[in-house]
Amino acid sequence: MRKVYKKVSGFIIIVLIICGFRYIDGNTSIYSLNDKDKLVEVTNANGNEKILLVNEKYGLSGNYVPEELSIPNILFSNGSSDEEKHVARTVVNPLEELVKAGKKDGIILLGNSGYRSYKSQEDIYKNRVISQGKKLADAYVAKPGFSEHQTGLCIDITNKNGYFAKGSKEADWLADNCYRFGFIIRYPYGKKNITGIEYEPWHIRYVGKEVAKYIHDNRITLEEYLQR
Ligand SMILES: [Zn+2]
């Protein structure tokens, strides 16, 4: 009897969470791709823009694979696996344009890690638990399904010396210019309480030019944008 009660209350909590999230105000609405995947739909001047939200709260299921994964025509760091060189098709042209614009300004950007499958993230997480313990793994590695890399819509950028930190000319250029090509710095400095992730100057996420400009100009995160 106790067990049944537990199950029922668990179910009610899940329903409340799902319904609660639907109440994000304004023009934002959400629908499920499947059981776990949440696509946040935003209405803007150009009509509907669909934005996939993945963070520590909203994850993707194991079988979510972006459509038309492709390898962009950019340079990659030596350590990139074949899988990591892929991004979703919609990201290919903007990414190539971004890298080209950098080159014009004397900035050489390399791709480091784009798409990562659920399985890859699972391996990364498991290995980290084995090497450093669960506590450290939980602090630094996204659990499978909760890494934005599974969307194919983001990529970690690096430079030739592999030191991509604030103050390096490549990281500063990326922070100032990526919005012009539809990308945002997904995990800005000082926003861990909102994004759940420490500052990562190398991780850019494609959201389209209009949304990227808004987020850049207002110095906000994707989470804040979706909850305006
Ligand atoms: Zn990343």
Side-chain angles (χ1 to χ4, degrees):
M1 198 56 196
R2 258 227 157 112
K3 248 188 179 168
V4 173
Y5 176 72
K6 250 190 179 169
K7 263 192 185 162
V8 170
S9 59
F11 177 71
I12 290 171
I13 287 168
I14 288 166
V15 168
L16 284 176
I17 290 169
I18 291 168
C19 294
F21 200 60
R22 277 174 197 276
Y23 271 97
I24 287 177
D25 62 345
N27 295 321
T28 307
S29 62
I30 272 178
Y31 56 91
S32 291
L33 290 175
N34 60 42
D35 278 357
K36 280 165 83 188
D37 310 328
K38 301 284 182 291
L39 196 60
V40 178
E41 194 176 73
V42 176
T43 311
N44 58 27
N46 292 337
N48 282 355
E49 192 124 30
K50 286 168 189 166
I51 294 185
L52 186 59
L53 177 66
V54 173
N55 57 24
E56 58 188 357
K57 264 199 240 148
Y58 300 102
L60 298 167
S61 58
N63 55 22
Y64 182 83
V65 178
E67 271 176 67
E68 291 187 76
L69 281 167
S70 321
I71 299 183
N73 186 18
I74 61 169
L75 293 172
F76 283 91
S77 71
N78 293 332
S80 304
S81 70
D82 187 56
E83 181 182 84
E84 287 176 306
K85 288 180 181 170
H86 288 77
V87 290
R89 183 76 192 96
T90 44
V91 181
V92 170
N93 288 340
L95 183 60
E96 289 175 351
E97 278 174 33
L98 169 82
V99 170
K100 226 188 271 170
K103 205 174 168 192
K104 250 190 191 165
D105 288 351
I107 301 293
I108 306 299
L109 303 173
L110 308 176
N112 197 24
S113 184
Y115 171 65
R116 292 206 291 260
S117 64
Y118 186 95
K119 174 82 180 61
S120 299
Q121 194 63 31
E122 198 169 47
D123 293 344
I124 293 170
Y125 179 76
K126 277 184 184 165
N127 287 336
R128 196 64 86 91
V129 171
I130 291 166
S131 65
Q132 298 188 329
K134 194 172 176 322
K135 212 174 168 190
L136 276 180
D138 284 343
Y140 292 105
V141 182
K143 289 201 179 72
F146 293 86
S147 166
E148 197 178 56
H149 285 273
Q150 198 187 331
T151 66
L153 297 171
C154 64
I155 183 164
D156 295 339
I157 298 290
T158 189
N159 52 13
K160 279 195 169 148
N161 60 19
Y163 182 73
F164 204 83
K166 197 180 173 77
S168 72
K169 63 179 182 181
E170 292 86 2
D172 289 352
W173 187 92
L174 190 67
D176 290 341
N177 292 281
C178 69
Y179 80 93
R180 298 199 283 126
F181 305 89
F183 294 91
I184 55 168
I185 302 292
R186 177 71 176 88
Y187 309 115
Y189 184 76
K191 298 273 192 173
K192 194 198 169 189
N193 59 328
I194 299 166
T195 63
I197 300 205
E198 295 282 2
Y199 174 50
E200 288 193 357
W202 53 83
H203 180 116
I204 55 171
R205 158 73 196 265
Y206 185 71
V207 289
K209 281 184 187 174
E210 198 179 330
V211 177
K213 183 168 172 19
Y214 188 94
I215 288 176
H216 175 265
D217 291 353
N218 291 281
R219 296 167 174 269
I220 55 172
T221 60
L222 184 59
E223 279 81 3
E224 290 165 290
Y225 176 80
L226 293 171
Q227 295 191 43
R228 283 166 309 147

